[in-house]
Amino acid sequence: MAEVEEQPVPASPQSEERSEAGEEAPDGGAVAAAADAVPPPAGSPGTEEAAGDMKKKIDVLLKAVGDTPIMKTKKWAVERTRTIQSLVDFMKKFLKLMASEQLFIYVNQSFAPSPDQEIGTLYECFGSDGKLVLHYCKTQAWG
Amino acid sequence: MTDDKDVLRDVWFGRIPTCFTLYQDEITEREAEPYYLLLPRISYLTLVTDKVKKHFQKVMRQEEVNEIWFEYEGTPLKWHYPIGLLFDLHASNTALPWSITVHFKNFPEKDLLHCHSKDVIEAHFMASIKEADALKHKSQVINEMQKKDHKQLWMGLQNDKFEQFWAINRKLMEYPTEDSGFRYIPFRIYQATTERPFIQKLFRPIASGGQMHTLGDLLKDVCPSAVDHEGGDLRFFTHCMDIAMCSHRIYHLDKR
């Protein structure tokens, strides 16, 4: 399987959008490294999932719906315990949306997961071919 | 499923006697009396507490009233969890009535989702139904329904109309006769002893040998540490929302 990396800070920005995204990722791969993501300590209760699983990070593929701006980087390696809300916050920054603008995320092109839902759990139940595909849209697509 | 109708009715009409008290630091113009209410287990806090809000707003100035939120013994209560689950998870050991504290200030952004209107609750509820059907039927049943059927599910819940709700929900609980069950069982296991939100995995109703999986099979498979007997008492609650509202089988384990 192809190695999926978080977007590295670009060496030579090709577009304004890309360079600004680069500037905003000093934490190095914004999605996984933000300060509020605290992985559970090893051996703590509730790590049954981690024990049996090979993957610490989930490969997420982001697909735009309709005329929603397209993420320049579509593939991301995301920590299991990242929430949908956390991913949305990151995408809004990356897409340079205003805080007031909404971004809707869909799984299986059929339901919008709760903002506090974890990427790892969604991947367990709805992943395929080693990745979780998420569609996103600025307006409600599948209700 | 018709044999279980009594069970379905018992689940639907389950109630928790609750006493709502205004948080002491809220600013009031006169003393706020507690407010008593029977909460439906299968519903959501923000859907059934309009009267609670009105009651406390009567003794407060308009400018002191922001988005309402609820707390039990210091823990903010997630409105998007069913009421019965919240009670079983946080307060099942305590005497009734369940004492909930009402807040209008200092909304805990890190712990709670906002709920600015009933539409938010409806959207959350429908998303749960859709997620469950994605597991049960690859979304075929929910997608074949018309918008008015979806609306009927929601209205049934909102207005506490068992028959209205189940007229539609029974279709979500059926499977073709050639199959022996759903594709996967929609379930979530909540544990009082951990910070993790819940356990949710793929689990088939039928084992490879053709026999039906039991609850014990499920627990052993997805939550082995909880069925480990370390001399502790394993207490297991069936919230039994499953069939009722969002077609999840929701259980929680409280390992003592």
Side-chain angles (χ1 to χ4, degrees), chain A residues 48 112 116-118 142-143, chain B residues 80 127 130-131 188 196 202 225:
Chain A
E48 294 93 357
D116 62 344
Q117 215 145 329
E118 292 187 346
W142 289 284
Chain B
H80 68 292
K130 288 176 182 177
E131 181 175 356
R188 285 181 180 170
R196 302 305 317 287
L202 293 178
S225 67

Side-chain angles (χ1 to χ4, degrees), chain A residues 45-46 48-49 81 108 110-112 114-118 121-122 124-126 142-143, chain B residues 80 113 127 130-131 134-135 139 188 193-194 196-202 222 224-225:
Chain A
E48 294 93 357
E49 299 155 76
T81 53
N108 272 11
S110 58
F111 71 91
S114 180
D116 62 344
Q117 215 145 329
E118 292 187 346
T121 303
L122 288 172
E124 289 291 327
C125 296
F126 303 104
W142 289 284
Chain B
H80 68 292
L113 302 177
K130 288 176 182 177
E131 181 175 356
L135 292 169
S139 302
R188 285 181 180 170
T193 48
T194 170
R196 302 305 317 287
F198 52 75
I199 298 172
Q200 178 179 337
K201 292 187 175 176
L202 293 178
V222 308
S225 67

Side-chain angles (χ1 to χ4, degrees), chain B residues 56-115:
Chain B
F56 289 117
Q57 281 177 335
K58 280 200 284 229
V59 302
M60 296 173 71
R61 287 212 298 268
Q62 185 58 22
E63 57 267 27
E64 303 293 346
V65 176
N66 300 305
E67 185 176 349
I68 195 171
W69 59 277
F70 305 96
E71 163 246 311
Y72 174 70
E73 296 201 336
T75 303
L77 296 174
K78 296 182 198 288
W79 67 262
H80 68 292
Y81 283 10
I83 291 168
L85 171 63
L86 290 171
F87 177 79
D88 291 345
L89 209 48
H90 298 300
S92 56
N93 277 340
T94 54
L96 296 172
W98 185 18
S99 291
I100 293 182
T101 307
V102 179
H103 294 256
F104 291 100
K105 289 203 307 258
N106 299 320
F107 192 89
E109 300 283 344
K110 291 228 178 298
D111 299 301
L112 300 182
L113 302 177
H114 281 282
C115 186

Side-chain angles (χ1 to χ4, degrees), chain B residues 204-220:
Chain B
R204 290 199 188 273
I206 309 289
S208 44
Q211 70 274 32
M212 294 195 69
H213 273 133
T214 63
L215 183 59
D217 294 331
L218 170 67
L219 295 177
K220 271 197 286 235

Side-chain angles (χ1 to χ4, degrees), chain B residues 152-251:
Chain B
Q152 187 169 329
L153 279 173
W154 167 246
M155 297 304 290
L157 177 73
Q158 186 178 27
N159 301 325
D160 194 27
K161 295 273 191 267
F162 176 85
E163 299 291 349
Q164 185 185 32
F165 178 86
W166 271 97
I168 307 297
N169 196 49
R170 65 174 179 80
K171 298 183 215 170
L172 292 165
M173 295 305 292
E174 287 164 355
Y175 42 83
T177 35
E178 59 268 24
D179 301 337
S180 16
F182 299 134
R183 186 157 187 256
Y184 297 106
I185 305 253
F187 74 90
R188 285 181 180 170
I189 298 179
Y190 297 82
Q191 292 171 268
T193 48
T194 170
E195 280 300 300
R196 302 305 317 287
F198 52 75
I199 298 172
Q200 178 179 337
K201 292 187 175 176
L202 293 178
F203 191 79
R204 290 199 188 273
I206 309 289
S208 44
Q211 70 274 32
M212 294 195 69
H213 273 133
T214 63
L215 183 59
D217 294 331
L218 170 67
L219 295 177
K220 271 197 286 235
D221 189 58
V222 308
C223 200
S225 67
V227 295
D228 237 347
H229 299 294
E230 294 164 4
D233 244 351
L234 183 70
R235 290 178 61 206
F236 165 77
F237 296 78
T238 315
H239 177 76
C240 241
M241 266 217 351
D242 122 271
I243 319 206
M245 64 196 278
C246 40
S247 301
H248 275 59
R249 285 181 209 270
I250 298 182
Y251 307 86

